[in-house]
Amino acid sequence: MDASEKKEVLRQWIKESGNIVFFGGAGVSTESNIPDFRGVDGLYRQKYKYRPETILSHSFYETHTEEFFAFYRDKMLFPEAQPNAAHLALARLEEQGKCKAVVTQNIDGLHQAAGSKKVLELHGSVLRNTCSRCGRPYGLQTILESEGIPRCECGGVIKPDVVLYEEGLDQETLQEAVRCIREADMLIVGGTSLTVYPAAGLIDYYRGRRLVLINKSETGMDGRADLLLNGPISILAECLPKA
Ligand code: NAD
């Protein structure tokens, strides 16, 4: 099948489906100018004193808190970013009653900004931050405007509600993602290298025969796709059914 035939199949499957779940990662937001980790311009190809996995780990956060926040503010926060065609297409599919959930590894809040309501954020969100001493919630602006280690009025450190390496995922979110994927008649996976676990393992819960994989580069799970589109995630926007 050539690329245009594949798009036609995707269009047809979306048209026929009433329970689509989308599972995505950093590649969904690169067209919003947020770099991914492992893509060609990803963060992992840039050079730092420590590897990004190290800096974004719980133990580094605990032991090098100031360095963590310097990197975090510089490389993880994109307050100007706007939803792109893929985010908007998924919101539209939800509105049409077709997309039942967006399961995302992203922490940028762009699916909600596009209008999606049912968004399961496996790795949390930069938009939510909490004082680790008194539990007071803070928005993104507080982190952006702070210098050094962001502190609550009570003196506690304000920690982003983002899942760091070595930290566990929120069990309720994970279980709901499993439930949605298990019940889906079509699973669209896109913009993810499928290397970060346990998130990547969620694909195993899908039981249908319409597993679509849209990614710019190869993944270790390409062989499992019923339909493999090697290209940008914005393909989704081209395959929406007419209202
Ligand atoms: P990843 O960086 O490991 O992989 C991204 C994948 O997307 C790559 O395979 C790349 O080829 C592909 N890609 C890039 N642009 C694309 C496009 N326009 N269309 C289609 N495919 C595209 O990302 P991951 O698998 O999500 O894992 C990285 C972890 O980093 C996640 O856990 C996530 O929490 C975090 N992260 C989040 C953001 C964000 O919130 N926007 C950004 C960077 C990293």
Side-chain angles (χ1 to χ4, degrees):
M1 247 194 288
D2 67 19
S4 76
E5 286 167 327
K6 285 184 177 184
K7 272 193 227 173
E8 201 39 56
V9 173
L10 178 57
R11 209 168 277 130
Q12 190 58 31
W13 284 4
I14 291 177
K15 203 169 153 192
E16 290 167 6
S17 176
N19 189 346
I20 300 171
V21 169
F22 178 79
F23 172 49
V28 175
S29 292
T30 52
E31 289 170 40
S32 297
N33 296 320
I34 300 181
D36 61 9
F37 279 179
R38 296 175 190 80
V40 278
D41 301 316
L43 210 54
Y44 285 14
R45 309 212 177 200
Q46 303 172 24
K47 292 279 170 271
Y48 298 100
K49 196 167 141 201
Y50 302 97
R51 295 164 62 217
E53 290 107 318
T54 306
I55 305 176
L56 296 170
S57 68
H58 183 80
S59 45
F60 192 88
Y61 169 82
E62 291 292 339
T63 54
H64 300 69
T65 315
E66 195 158 351
E67 262 179 281
F68 168 89
F69 276 108
F71 178 90
Y72 180 78
R73 273 193 208 92
D74 193 29
K75 300 292 172 190
M76 305 302 292
L77 301 182
F78 298 87
E80 310 295 331
Q82 295 297 321
N84 62 47
H87 296 110
L88 294 168
L90 288 163
R92 184 103 190 87
L93 283 175
E94 182 182 87
E95 218 174 76
Q96 294 175 343
K98 289 184 170 294
C99 182
K100 299 300 182 196
V102 169
V103 179
T104 184
Q105 298 166 82
N106 292 349
I107 54 177
D108 54 33
L110 289 183
H111 285 294
Q112 291 92 332
S116 286
K117 304 270 181 297
K118 175 91 175 184
V119 183
L120 299 168
E121 295 175 311
L122 297 171
H123 295 159
S125 171
V126 299
L127 304 182
R128 297 185 298 271
N129 303 273
T130 311
C131 170
S132 28
R133 188 182 292 169
C134 72
R136 182 175 161 180
Y138 287 90
L140 174 60
Q141 209 52 31
T142 306
I143 305 294
L144 288 168
E145 287 167 3
S146 62
E147 280 174 28
I149 301 172
R151 294 213 177 259
C152 178
E153 279 170 19
C154 80
V157 178
I158 304 173
K159 186 174 187 285
D161 292 356
V162 160
V163 179
L164 301 175
Y165 289 93
E166 301 163 1
E167 291 179 343
L169 271 55
D170 177 71
Q171 285 306 303
E172 246 175 69
T173 309
L174 191 58
Q175 275 163 24
E176 181 60 2
V178 167
R179 189 190 67 78
C180 291
I181 290 174
R182 213 180 246 150
E183 290 175 4
D185 59 16
M186 177 170 176
L187 178 64
I188 307 179
V189 179
T192 170
S193 61
L194 293 167
T195 51
V196 179
Y197 280 81
L202 281 173
I203 289 189
D204 294 342
Y205 292 97
Y206 177 61
R207 299 185 291 194
R209 297 213 176 139
R210 290 185 169 180
L211 173 56
V212 180
L213 191 46
I214 309 171
N215 213 60
K216 271 194 173 169
S217 55
E218 272 180 35
T219 77
M221 299 201 195
D222 285 4
R224 294 181 46 186
D226 299 302
L227 180 66
L228 178 67
L229 291 111
N230 186 239
I233 194 70
S234 52
I235 286 174
L236 261 184
E238 297 169 35
C239 297
L240 289 194
K242 304 267 177 300

